[in-house]
């Protein structure tokens, strides 16, 4: 089935309150990558607040999979047993979780994928991850004046990572003087990013810039650089996290991050789930735009806690 897509360009209809006669969900289940991650904390907060706007007495169960597929499979089984009206799923493996998505839908539960795709879900709300990769890598290429070696450091096997890498490669195609290096998987963590870049520094004679597919990896990459390289190598990533805000306030190799709006993703996921529960004709894919955060525009950046998209470069 071909899914319609909506791209949120400004404050749209989705932020409006639901019709007064709509019956809100009684129970919602949420399972995401890791609730110790500020991104998922903000996403969950947006979802809970939206759920309470639909039904003040709604019960919300939020679970942390800690990026462990067997754990998330078990969490999906537990949520299905609770018979919620809606499950928000931040898949730790986009394809491997498909059997649990099918089981939830077979039980009459609406499933909305958040942050990453989950095949078979009723709907999806995520950042425009291809755009995120494009604007980050274009910025890196421009800072290199179109010449040098740029390393792409990948991450877990989820759609957001592959989309960001595809966007990065698309942007770099306009810079024939940039040599693209395929880096080791940074595993979506600071330690993973640090170890991956240390390995790549030993493999490649020269690295002038690094695109890390999330901020945690970027912070690890910064730690991996020897002192003589930290003033030369440039790093950009995706997230716009509080940690990257702090990094941008100080001198260092990290120069930019394509910011997501996790609060808005969580909110939109609940509202989409409500429309799907009611059988409304609605787009089943909602893309939340991203903005590039740099030292130059950091003062105007609203951050992850904002319910609105940040102003800035698209």
């Amino acid at each position: 089935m071909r899914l319609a897509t909506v791209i949120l360009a400004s404050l749209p209809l989705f932020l409006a309150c639901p019709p007064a006669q709509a019956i809100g969900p009684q129970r919602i289940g949420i399972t995401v990558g890791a609730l110790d991650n500020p991104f998922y904390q903000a996403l969950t907060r947006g979802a809970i607040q939206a759920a309470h706007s639909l039904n003040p007495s709604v019960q919300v169960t939020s679970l942390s999979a800690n990026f462990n597929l067997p754990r998330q499979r078990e969490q999906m089984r537990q949520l299905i047993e609770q018979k919620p009206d809606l499950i928000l799923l931040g898949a730790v493996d986009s394809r491997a979780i498909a059997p649990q998505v099918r089981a939830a839908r077979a039980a009459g539960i609406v499933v909305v994928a958040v942050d990453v795709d989950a095949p078979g879900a009723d709907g999806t709300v995520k950042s425009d991850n291809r755009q995120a990769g494009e604007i980050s890598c274009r910025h890196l290429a421009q800072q290199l004046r179109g010449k040098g070696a740029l390393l792409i450091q990948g991450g877990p096997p989820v759609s957001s990572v592959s989309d960001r890498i595809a966007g990065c490669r698309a942007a770099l195609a306009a810079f024939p003087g940039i040599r693209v290096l395929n880096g080791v998987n940074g595993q979506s963590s600071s330690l993973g990013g640090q170890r991956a870049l240390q390995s790549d520094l030993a493999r490649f004679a020269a690295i002038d810039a690094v695109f890390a597919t999330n901020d945690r990896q970027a912070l690890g990459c910064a730690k991996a650089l020897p002192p003589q390289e930290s003033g030369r190598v440039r790093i950009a990533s995706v997230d716009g996290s509080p940690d990257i805000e702090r990094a941008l306030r100080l001198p260092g190799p990290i120069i930019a991050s394509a910011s997501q709006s996790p609060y808005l993703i969580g909110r939109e996921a609940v509202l989409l789930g409500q429309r799907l529960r009611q059988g409304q004709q609605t787009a089943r894919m909602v893309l939340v735009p991203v903005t590039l955060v740099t030292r130059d525009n950091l003062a105007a950046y609203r951050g992850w806690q904002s319910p609105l998209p940040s102003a800035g470069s698209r």
Side-chain angles (χ1 to χ4, degrees):
M1 176 175 60
R2 187 180 181 87
L3 300 184
T5 302
V6 165
I7 300 177
L8 302 186
S10 59
L11 263 186
L13 299 175
F14 299 94
L15 290 181
C17 294
Q21 69 272 19
I23 299 175
Q26 302 300 306
R27 184 186 293 272
I28 292 177
I30 303 172
T31 171
V32 294
L35 284 175
D36 65 346
N37 185 323
F39 177 89
Y40 292 111
Q41 292 172 359
L43 187 155
T44 301
R45 186 175 300 110
I48 291 173
Q49 291 183 2
H52 281 119
S53 74
L54 296 170
N55 176 11
S57 62
V58 64
Q59 297 181 28
V60 181
T61 300
S62 55
L63 302 171
S64 177
N66 294 334
F67 292 105
N68 181 290
L69 178 60
R71 177 175 294 182
Q72 189 164 64
R73 283 173 167 164
E74 174 61 19
Q75 289 175 350
M76 285 291 288
R77 185 192 66 78
Q78 294 172 358
L79 290 175
I80 292 169
E81 287 184 351
Q82 293 177 11
K83 302 185 185 304
D85 301 296
L86 170 65
I87 291 177
L88 302 190
L89 169 63
V92 302
D93 188 314
S94 292
R95 298 199 174 275
I97 201 67
Q100 286 69 42
V101 174
R102 289 195 296 269
R105 294 192 66 197
I109 302 167
V110 172
V111 179
V112 174
V114 292
D115 184 38
V116 298
D117 293 338
D122 295 276
T124 304
V125 180
K126 61 181 181 178
S127 297
D128 190 336
N129 286 296
R130 184 179 177 91
Q131 179 198 28
E134 287 176 352
I135 62 177
S136 293
C137 288
R138 184 181 302 115
H139 185 69
L140 283 174
Q142 291 169 342
Q143 293 299 305
L144 294 178
R145 300 181 185 274
K147 296 181 180 179
L150 189 153
L151 179 92
I152 298 177
Q153 185 183 91
V158 293
S159 62
S160 60
V161 170
S162 58
D163 288 348
R164 291 168 191 176
I165 292 174
C168 176
R169 292 186 181 279
L172 295 179
F175 298 89
I178 297 291
R179 183 163 59 95
V180 179
L181 308 176
N182 296 316
V184 174
N185 186 335
Q187 302 295 334
S188 195
S189 70
S190 177
L191 182 59
Q194 181 178 358
R195 289 176 173 173
L197 187 56
Q198 287 171 338
S199 175
D200 288 328
L201 288 169
R203 288 198 303 143
F204 298 113
I207 297 174
D208 300 301
V210 177
F211 171 60
T213 50
N214 76 7
D215 281 354
R216 286 190 167 190
Q217 290 178 205
L219 294 164
C221 289
K223 294 177 183 177
L225 291 173
Q228 66 271 22
E229 294 292 301
S230 63
R232 185 186 67 82
V233 177
R234 297 167 174 85
I235 301 171
S237 60
V238 178
D239 276 339
S241 66
D243 285 339
I244 225 69
E245 290 185 69
R246 287 187 283 272
L248 288 172
R249 291 190 183 100
L250 301 171
I254 296 174
I255 63 169
S257 180
S259 172
Q260 304 191 77
S261 300
Y263 180 99
L264 189 58
I265 291 173
R267 177 182 174 89
E268 292 301 324
V270 169
L271 298 182
L272 174 59
Q274 175 71 351
R275 295 194 299 276
L276 293 171
R277 288 182 60 238
Q278 295 176 317
Q280 295 182 24
Q281 292 295 316
T282 183
R284 292 173 179 258
M285 173 77 75
V286 178
L287 294 182
V288 178
V290 297
T291 61
L292 190 67
V293 182
T294 68
R295 287 186 174 88
D296 292 337
N297 64 11
L298 182 61
Y301 178 52
R302 296 188 181 97
W304 276 1
Q305 303 307 319
S306 173
L308 311 180
S310 296
S313 303
R314 286 286 304 276

